[in-house]
Amino acid sequence: MSVEEFLVALELAAQKYALNVQLLAGTRNSVKAKIDINGSLAIQCYYNQNSKTTNFVLIGWSRRLYKRDSVGGTWHRHSFEDPDAHDASPGGSIPVEPEQFLDETFEILIREGLIAPVVPGRDDS
């Protein structure tokens, strides 16, 4: 996947949740971006097409809450329950695209009561 393809996938994933992608840094071969969820939660993303490195990190209250990353094409997960541990189990080593990571992240945030679920067609105003 090229940097451009990664950015398109990231933008589409963010749009699914009505969020915006903020580019933090980039070169021809890599990009670092941030997606703010609210004042306390954000997702940071890094991709390098040459080294095949991908990092998706849910940050909350200035610490890592959940992460999936790949170095050289080998994936692992840092679970919400134990974000410092490397999970290379079959479930932890599944490659993920931006949309999959955002889906997992929002599932965790809702499950843990950190954000409220959105009810389609409901107007809270």
Side-chain angles (χ1 to χ4, degrees):
M1 175 184 303
S2 70
V3 168
E4 293 80 15
E5 291 167 328
F6 180 83
L7 284 172
V8 167
L10 192 59
E11 288 282 351
L12 290 172
Q15 287 174 7
K16 179 178 177 180
Y17 292 95
L19 299 172
N20 297 311
V21 175
Q22 177 187 1
L23 296 179
L24 302 176
T27 68
R28 276 187 310 133
N29 297 310
S30 66
V31 65
K32 183 176 181 180
K34 180 180 177 186
I35 301 171
D36 287 319
I37 298 171
N38 62 31
S40 302
L41 299 164
I43 295 170
Q44 290 184 353
C45 308
Y46 173 80
Y47 178 71
N48 185 304
Q49 68 187 15
N50 287 348
S51 66
K52 305 283 189 254
T53 298
T54 307
N55 296 306
F56 298 110
V57 186
L58 170 63
I59 304 289
W61 302 278
S62 302
R63 64 185 177 94
R64 175 176 60 202
L65 300 176
Y66 180 66
K67 180 177 182 180
R68 281 198 179 259
D69 58 330
S70 166
V71 178
T74 302
W75 285 86
H76 67 275
R77 170 176 53 195
H78 298 263
S79 71
F80 183 83
E81 293 75 22
D82 191 0
D84 292 326
H86 288 77
D87 173 11
S89 71
S93 61
I94 296 170
V96 295
E97 298 293 328
E99 183 176 1
Q100 293 164 292
F101 184 79
L102 266 69
D103 289 348
E104 289 179 356
T105 296
F106 276 85
E107 185 178 297
I108 290 167
L109 293 173
I110 291 166
R111 180 188 75 215
E112 297 298 321
L114 297 173
I115 62 171
V118 176
V119 178
R122 181 175 159 194
D123 185 0
D124 288 311
S125 53

